[in-house]
């Protein structure tokens, strides 16, 4: 009986601690999302959109169709830039080969979480090559404050961008602009 009581007390403590720790000190918003094909010989179709599901929770969707098959010559450049208190800081700057990334695990937690969520929310290939004339889609990719550490500065503006390259030529880009605004205490 005492063991059951201790077990439930520990569960109650963990749930209450988790709930308290889950309180971030900012509100998240995304003023703009842009995706743009640059070289039509490589990319036939590129669309992206998002909607706000509730406070601090967004759902993203998109479509991609290539005009040519891409293999080891397919690279991405992922950047996160933040601006807080009038200062700009390059938070993340990664150049990745898509085929190598599909084979290996990601070491950067933020990118690994996004990568895993994209694969779960899409029909994107899990290995190379990325085929031409296939409509790849992503739907209901949830982005919320859990992508951000609790100590995220606020107010803060940030840009998350992905540039897509084939043979070192940029053929498409995605840019997500975001902000954090302090939560007002009552």
């Amino acid at each position: 009986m005492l063991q059951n009581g201790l077990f439930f007390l520990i569960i109650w403590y963990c749930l209450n601690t988790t709930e308290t720790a889950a309180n971030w000190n900012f509100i998240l918003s995304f003023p703009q999302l842009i995706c743009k094909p640059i070289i039509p010989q490589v990319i036939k179709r590129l669309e992206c959109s998002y909607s706000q599901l509730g406070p601090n929770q967004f759902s993203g969707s998109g479509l991609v169709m290539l005009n040519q098959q891409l293999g080891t010559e397919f690279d991405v450049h992922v950047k996160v830039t933040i601006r807080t208190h009038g200062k700009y800081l390059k938070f993340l700057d990664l150049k990745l080969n898509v085929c190598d990334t599909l084979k290996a695990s990601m070491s950067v937690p933020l990118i690994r979480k996004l990568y895993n969520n994209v694969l779960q929310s899409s029909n994107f290939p899990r290995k190379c090559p990325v085929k031409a004339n296939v409509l790849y889609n992503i739907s209901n990719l949830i982005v919320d404050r859990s992508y951000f550490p609790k100590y995220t500065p606020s107010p803060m503006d940030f840009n998350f961008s992905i540039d897509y390259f084939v043979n070192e030529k940029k053929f498409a880009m995605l840019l997500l602009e975001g902000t954090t605004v302090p939560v007002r205490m009552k």
Side-chain angles (χ1 to χ4, degrees):
M1 181 71 169
L2 181 60
Q3 287 177 332
N4 287 343
L6 285 173
F7 176 73
F8 288 113
L9 182 61
I10 291 169
I11 289 176
W12 177 82
Y13 176 78
C14 290
L15 289 174
N16 282 332
T17 304
T18 303
E19 183 178 323
T20 303
N23 293 326
W24 279 260
N25 65 347
F26 63 89
I27 297 169
L28 179 63
S29 69
F30 295 113
Q32 186 167 305
L33 173 65
I34 300 169
C35 54
K36 180 176 160 184
I38 297 170
I39 302 176
Q41 293 84 354
V42 178
I43 190 161
K44 184 181 295 188
R45 186 172 176 190
L46 177 62
E47 298 174 16
C48 59
S49 64
Y50 74 96
S51 60
Q52 187 165 0
L53 300 175
N56 303 301
Q57 190 175 38
F58 301 83
S59 173
S61 300
L63 300 171
V64 176
M65 184 181 285
L66 300 170
N67 277 324
Q68 67 185 54
Q69 181 170 291
L70 299 179
T72 58
E73 72 283 1
F74 184 16
D75 299 305
V76 294
H77 188 184
V78 180
K79 296 179 279 190
V80 177
T81 306
I82 62 174
R83 184 176 67 91
T84 183
H85 306 297
K87 296 181 181 177
Y88 287 90
L89 174 68
K90 191 184 300 185
F91 182 75
L92 183 68
D93 190 349
L94 288 174
K95 293 180 181 175
L96 304 166
N97 179 273
V98 172
C99 292
D100 291 344
T101 303
L102 289 171
K103 287 181 197 174
S105 177
M106 295 296 301
S107 60
V108 178
L110 171 68
I111 300 300
R112 182 176 52 237
K113 180 176 180 174
L114 181 61
Y115 172 80
N116 288 336
N117 286 344
V118 165
L119 289 180
Q120 290 174 359
S121 303
S122 72
N123 68 337
F124 292 158
R126 285 12 179 206
K127 62 181 182 175
C128 279
V130 181
K131 300 194 184 302
N133 299 312
V134 173
L135 185 61
Y136 295 110
N137 65 64
I138 184 168
S139 60
N140 202 28
L141 173 68
I142 303 299
V143 177
D144 57 21
R145 289 188 294 196
S146 70
Y147 280 89
F148 299 83
K150 305 246 184 330
Y151 54 84
T152 298
S154 185
M156 177 182 76
D157 298 323
F158 62 91
N159 290 333
F160 173 85
S161 66
I162 305 175
D163 293 327
Y164 301 88
F165 294 86
V166 61
N167 294 321
E168 300 183 17
K169 291 183 182 175
K170 185 171 160 180
F171 69 87
M173 57 83 64
L174 178 137
L175 172 66
L176 176 63
E177 295 178 353
T179 63
T180 63
V181 178
V183 173
R184 298 196 189 274
M185 297 297 181
K186 294 180 182 179

